[in-house]
Structures are given as C-alpha cells and as structure tokens.
Amino acid sequence: MSGSSIRWAYRVQSIPNSIQSTLAAKSFLRQLFSANQISTGFVIRTLSPSLSTARHKTAIVTFDVADPASPIKLFNRASATWKLLLPQLGEDAVQQGSELEDETPASVSIDDKFLGFTILSAPKPEHHKQDIVVMHGLGNGHAYGSFKERGSEHMWLLDNLKKDCPSARILTYGYDSKLESNSFQTLEDLTIAFVKSLQVVREQDLSAALAPKPITFLAHSLGGLILKQAMIHMNRPGAPLSYHDTRLATSGIIFFAVPHQGLDTSFVRAIVHNQANEDLIHGLRPNSPLLLDMRRDFNDAFPFRDSTIVYVYETKRSPTAQKNASGRWEMNGPEVVLVDKDSATAGRHWENEPHHILSVNTNHSDIVKFGDNDEDYVRVRSQLRRILSESEGIIRNRFRRNMVNPLQNLNWHSTSDLADSTIYVNDAASSHIQGQTSSLESVVDRFDNKAVSRDQDYILEPESAPRRTWFPRSLWHWSTQSSTNTRVSLAISIVIVICIVTAMTLTISIPAASPKPRYIDILQSSEETWALQLIAFT
C-alpha cells in the first residue's frame, strides 16, 4: 500500500462477546460509527478476547487518515480515549440466540494510544501453547505503529508472525516513551507498571497446578531495559510467588538494539532539557551507574542457561532531532549510531558466541519494522522458532525442579534470624501449592520420604497458623547445630519414646473422628539442606 493511503490504527474495546466473527464485528462497528457520525470506511485488522473481562472483545481497526470523515478528524485530540454510545444492535451484528443483557456495555471505548497490553492474536484455548510479548522502544514508540513497515500498511506481528507461530498468543505492551513529555516517571516506575500489568495478563495461567505456559519476549530499545529491570524486580526478596513463576516461565528473549551499555543521548539532550523526564534519559547514557548495576543484577535474576537470549544490533546510522522553521522537533538531523554493536550485544557472560547475536542492516528505529518477504524477518523468525520449539520442555522441567520448593525463588527465614524456631516456608508458598497433591508428591519423591501416603491430600502450614507440632521448634534448631553423636543419641531416644506411646495408644479405644488435614513442613537447615516433616492431626 502506498504512502498516500496509510491508515491510522485504533483500538476498539468493550465489544460484546456475542460477536463471534470479523464479519459480525464489521456490521456492529458500522452501526456504531454511523450512530456517532463517523461515515468513513474502515478495516478490521484483528478481533481478539478482551484482557479486562471475558464478556468483551477488542478489535484493532484502521481508517484512512486522508479521509475527512476519519475519526482522527472528528475526535477531540486532547483525549486519550473516546466513548462511543452503543446503537441498537441489528440481528446481523450478533450471533443468533445470544443473550446480551448481562454483557452489553453502555458504550464502546476507542483509542489510538495502545497503552498497556493488547492481544494481536489469540489461538483457540486448545491450541494456545505459549505467549509472545512485544515491547516497543524510546521516542515516539507505539505498541502498534512501531512494528509497521515504514510507508506501508504491513505490520509483521499481524501479517507474518501470527501465521508463522499459530500456537502462540501474541501481545504488545505500550507505555509512555515520548521524548517531549511532562511525565517524570523513572525506569523503576515504568517497570512496576509493566510487572503488575503482566501479572494480570498471566493470572489465570499462573494459577494452574502444573507449569504455566512459556513466555517469550521481543523487546526493542528502552523496552528491553524495562524487561531486564522487571526480571530484577520479580527476583527481589519477598516478591509474590506469581512474580517468580513469571520469571521461571520465561523461555527466551530477543533484544532488538537494546542499549545494555548505554546509547548516544547527545541527540535528545536538547529535547529533554529541563523537562520532567530528563533524569530518565540521562540514565541511559553510556556506562551509567544505572545500566552497570542493571547488567550485574539481571545476570543474577535470570541465570537460566537453558533460556536462549538473542541480541539483535543495528548496522546503519539514525537521523537525529533538530528544530524546523516553526520550532518543532523533526528527526532529520545529522546521522549517528544510536546503539553500537558492543552495547547491543553485551549479554550474559557465557553468551559470547556468534549464534547469540544477529545483525539487521537498518537503523535503530527501523530494526523492528520488517516488510513483507523481508530477509531480516526470516532470520529473526528462525531464532524465534528455535526458542518456541524448545520452550515447553524447558519450562516443564524448570518447574519440576523449582515449583514446590525453589531454593532460589522463595524468601526463606534464616536460622540466624530465628534461633529458637523451626525454619519453615513463608505463607506465599502455602497458598500457592495448597491442595496440589501431585506437586507435593514431587517433594516426597525428592526426599524419598516413604511415610507420606500418595492417596492423601496435603497442604503446607501457613507461617501465621498455630504451630501444633510434636517436634519442638527449639529441638529442631538444636538438632541442626549439635554434633552427629549427640543427634544420633537423641534420635534413638525419641524413637523409643514414640514406640512406647504408640503401644499405649493402641490399647485405648478411641471414637472414630472425621479425617483432618495433614500438614507438611518443609524445613531448611543452616547448611542449605532440606528436610521434610509430616505432621498428622487425629
């Protein structure tokens, strides 16, 4: 499509879930736009489930920006989102027999900002095997427009990747990355917003008893730094277990021109001078303390050698910003290399082989604007397919090792902090694996504790629950610190006492009682070894 017919993309949300097809959606939207004095033609690029509620759908619609009746001419540009009142639905716009009373909103929202998560492609539930999350970069980054071929309507995430990766749900994440901005968000602020939004998207999947679906990230420029900081954030002590699960479920990453060691900020200094976001941009300069700390901490937060990371770098200079005659900034200034090869490929210390890096013969912005039949896209697709083909097995095995008792993923109390207490797992893990018999069996297998029955349901005792145990906390702590001979003598004494008490109990008639839950305490000694304690209540 030529540059004269470029279309502007809009996200239309709160479409009734009863609308099952693109054809029905077009009929519905035609009535909606007509009722709101929008008469221009439009194209539905995608129709997907809503992330906010199962009762709605979201569509991406494009309009010809040159059309005088286009929404871009009609809407108040000061608004981020517009509300369009719903018309009376025609029969052809709704699946016959649907009941709309409980699912039809009073209005439909439409925006062109694409902030937060947007589903571009969603396989049927039975075919959904993994997630691909795409993050745009700095400047005029946009969760949809940044991935369109320049001067064309071709959007490779929709027009290529959707067909090439049919089992993957494809999502984009948008955030405020404008250079001319009055926002004083820091990188940490952007990260926290992303992490919390990601948990909402993955909430249903992370609640599954087995390993959640693998997730692969494609991140450009500043988006890659937000992703790295997110991994660090999700690895912090005390983080919710769902954060650790998301980190564990990450099967691979493709970084596109991400300034791991900084970027040339000279071209934007004048733009952000005395603006609220000046500190954010200043922190992206080469070898800034922020980036040095991030590189070190990311290696600790994402140490998984079985997760592939590919580093894509630019090989052309990019135009810089300069003011035009009217005083507006335009990207037509002297050309520079924004992120050089060394910065873009500064990966984890073992990722220094040629198969970890990939060059794309374009500039910093166009590195994620693939065209149709693009050789650079084919090479990126090959790397992505390799990640996806291995992801299910990698994540399944990773969760088998880490799901119930992840040494590196839970916030454990130390014996020095609780010198006179039993060492036990925190409440977050308790709620996570409550009732998950199969998961608990893996603990039993790991510790070869044959006394735990396979046909019982077990739960972990929460940290705040009453500690009704025959095994004194001080005795446990003492036993981990005492000499081997002393511990053996103690163990023999305890066994003798238990045998005597058991024999006495068998001679007493006890009325039958309803079964009560058993509790498993996972205990950790000061030597980082583990023990399993079964507490039965009768």
Side-chain angles (χ1 to χ4, degrees), residues 19 66 84 102 123 126 161 211 232 324 344 402 428 439-440 494 497 502 504 528:
I19 296 176
L84 303 183
D102 295 331
E126 61 269 26
L161 196 63
I232 296 167
N324 60 19
N402 294 279
S439 299
L440 291 172
I494 291 176
V497 171
T502 302
M504 295 175 62
E528 299 295 318

Side-chain angles (χ1 to χ4, degrees), residues 410-454:
L410 291 178
N411 181 27
W412 291 90
H413 298 290
S414 67
T415 51
S416 59
D417 293 336
L418 297 171
D420 196 34
S421 300
T422 302
I423 310 307
Y424 51 91
V425 73
N426 61 18
D427 185 59
S430 306
S431 60
H432 180 68
I433 60 177
Q434 183 171 358
Q436 295 183 15
T437 308
S438 60
S439 299
L440 291 172
E441 284 181 1
S442 68
V443 180
V444 174
D445 291 337
R446 177 167 182 168
F447 296 107
D448 198 29
N449 190 327
K450 305 303 182 183
V452 181
S453 172
R454 292 295 196 279

